[in-house]
Structure formats: structure tokens, C-alpha cells
Amino acid sequence: DAGITQSPRHKVTETGTPVTLRCHQTENHRYMYWYRQDPGHGLRLIHYSYGVKDTDKGEVSDGYSVSRSKTEDFLLTLESATSSQTSVYFCAIRMTGAGGYTFGSGTRLTVV
Amino acid sequence: TQLLEQSPQFLSIQEGENLTVYCNSSSVFSSLQWYRQEPGEGPVLLVTVVTGGEVKKLKRLTFQFGDARKDSSLHITAAQPGDTGLYLCAGRNRDDKIIFGKGTRLHILP
């Protein structure tokens, strides 16, 4: 198992507040990803990282920022949470070769 | 925009029946993955196919990558209640990005 942990698992926050979600991996994988999953939209890429301090935007990056100061940690920040950011957020790491991703268990975020 | 279309969106069948779900695109992918996701959990990788025409088997599940590497299918033989879940296909494109389909929600009735 790749050892990927997301925290918190559940969070309720108020509109306008900043929120940070954490993804921690234990196996030194270079590539890490943040997705959101919503009914009718499937999994959509928010941001990804290809190394320490190397990040790039995905298809739904507006309102989100990321940081990766250590290989093992990839943080997703909602700068000012909105109700449209209510979702389930998944972190993933890319396996070597032609393999796919290993996902964390997700964070269910509700913005009220 | 590259899309992966999965069909059907929903499928509910009796235990013991066979079923096939499809993943189609107009784009070529260098590899394609299938995942299964259960409620409250992240998707779990089932298989990766790389070569056009490739067939892989995982117990009662058979995965096929289309000859042109634009489509794939997942066939389940003698479905069991434990097969219930959301099945996602995902393709790696020439920019090395992974594109996900919206999934097929499968429910196996005991």
C-alpha cells in the first residue's frame, strides 16, 4: 500500500473562511494530485505537483492554491471558501511506469 | 477537450448475471486504467492496459483495450454483490495527463 493519508476526513466551514486540506504520503512519490468529485462531473483535477515547490494548475483551479514544501506533504487551500466548493476532495499519487494513481480516502468538505 | 464517455451510467442486475460496461473516446490514450470506488472511499486501481487489443483478466473481471487505444470495456462474469460500486475508467493522454470518465454505478442485487 502506498501510504497516503488525507486530513481531515470531514469538515464543515463557513463561507468566506480559508480552509487547508492536507495530503501526506510515505513513499517519496514525485507526483501528487488534488481532485474534487461531484455528482454529474466525476473527478476533476484542481492542481498537481511534480516535485517540491513545483506545482501546476488543473482544469478547476480557480479559488484554490497549493503548496508542496516537502516531498511527503501536498496542501490544498481554499482561499475564501464558497458554497460551490462543497465537495469531496481526493489526493492521489502517481505510481511508477504506466501505472495509474493511488488515492487517499477523501475529505468531505461542506461550506455553509 | 478530451472526453471519456462511460456507458451505461447506471446498471442494476441480479447476482449471477454477466455484464459489460464501456469507456469510449475519440482520442488516443497511451494507457487506460479502470478503478472501482466504494462509498466513502477513494477509487482503487483495478488494472492498467497499455497495448492496443490487450486483454487482462482479474478473477471474474475481463478488461480489454481497443485496437486503436481509444476505447475499453470491462466484462464481469457471474456478478456478485461484492462487485457493487462505481467503476471509473481513466486514460493517459499524450500530454501525460490522466482524464477520468464520469463512471458507471453498478448495483448487484442478491
Side-chain angles (χ1 to χ4, degrees), chain A residues 9 37 40 94 98-99 101 105, chain B residues 35 37 40 48 92 96 102:
Chain A
R9 287 297 311 273
Q37 187 175 38
R94 176 176 166 175
Y101 293 166
S105 296
Chain B
Y35 297 80
Q37 184 178 17
T48 298
R92 189 182 297 282
D96 208 32
K102 294 182 181 178

Side-chain angles (χ1 to χ4, degrees), chain B residues 63-78:
Chain B
F63 305 86
Q64 183 160 9
F65 202 10
D67 290 341
R69 292 185 289 134
K70 294 183 179 180
D71 54 81
S72 181
S73 63
L74 159 59
H75 182 78
I76 301 179
T77 303

Side-chain angles (χ1 to χ4, degrees), chain A residues 5-60:
Chain A
T5 306
Q6 290 186 235
S7 59
R9 287 297 311 273
H10 302 271
K11 186 168 181 67
V12 179
T13 192
E14 293 187 348
T15 299
T17 60
V19 177
T20 295
L21 309 183
R22 181 179 184 242
C23 179
H24 178 79
Q25 56 133 336
T26 59
E27 296 193 1
N28 277 330
H29 289 280
R30 181 181 172 193
Y31 289 87
M32 299 183 75
Y33 305 81
W34 276 107
Y35 284 87
R36 59 179 290 175
Q37 187 175 38
D38 304 285
H41 291 278
L43 283 161
R44 292 182 291 174
L45 181 65
I46 305 171
H47 281 279
Y48 65 99
S49 170
Y50 43 96
V52 173
K53 297 185 180 178
D54 289 325
T55 65
D56 207 348
K57 296 179 180 180
E59 63 180 299
V60 290

